[in-house]
Amino acid sequence: QEVPPTARVVATFSAHTGTVRCVRFHPQGSLIVTGSHDKEIRVWDTRVPIAAVVSSVHSKEITCLAGSGKINGAGWAVSSSLDDTVKLWNYQTS
């Protein structure tokens, strides 16, 4: 009988003030991008559980997002919201 792998929590990221609706690993390796009902998108560095970038790009709750790798030194992401918009945005983590 095969033994299932064990899982353990290695980090907790908490700063959103609303329900987190979407989470994506970013192609940039150690980054996670989250979107929330608090209308904020946060870019987290998995090596330290604090948000590297916080952006309030929408006027209503965020419903979906995706990230891309760095282009010319900046990260890029796209997000959608209940404000009926899709936004393309860039950010710099350092």
Side-chain angles (χ1 to χ4, degrees):
Q1 190 174 32
E2 190 173 323
V3 176
T6 59
R8 64 182 177 86
V9 174
V10 295
T12 299
F13 303 89
S14 58
H16 282 291
T17 59
T19 302
V20 177
R21 293 276 307 180
C22 40
V23 178
R24 299 286 183 269
F25 278 104
H26 192 278
Q28 186 58 33
S30 65
L31 301 179
I32 295 173
V33 184
T34 59
S36 170
H37 276 190
D38 62 10
K39 307 171 199 160
E40 291 183 343
I41 294 171
R42 293 178 180 262
V43 180
W44 306 84
D45 186 331
T46 59
R47 297 166 293 189
V48 289
I50 56 172
V53 175
V54 180
S55 180
S56 298
V57 296
H58 289 284
S59 62
K60 291 191 178 177
E61 294 89 343
I62 294 159
T63 57
C64 189
L65 57 83
S68 74
K70 283 194 173 186
I71 302 170
N72 294 328
W76 290 85
V78 63
S79 57
S80 65
S81 167
L82 294 177
D83 64 10
D84 299 327
T85 64
V86 173
K87 296 189 178 189
L88 176 67
W89 49 283
N90 67 354
Y91 57 88
Q92 185 109 15
T93 57
S94 58

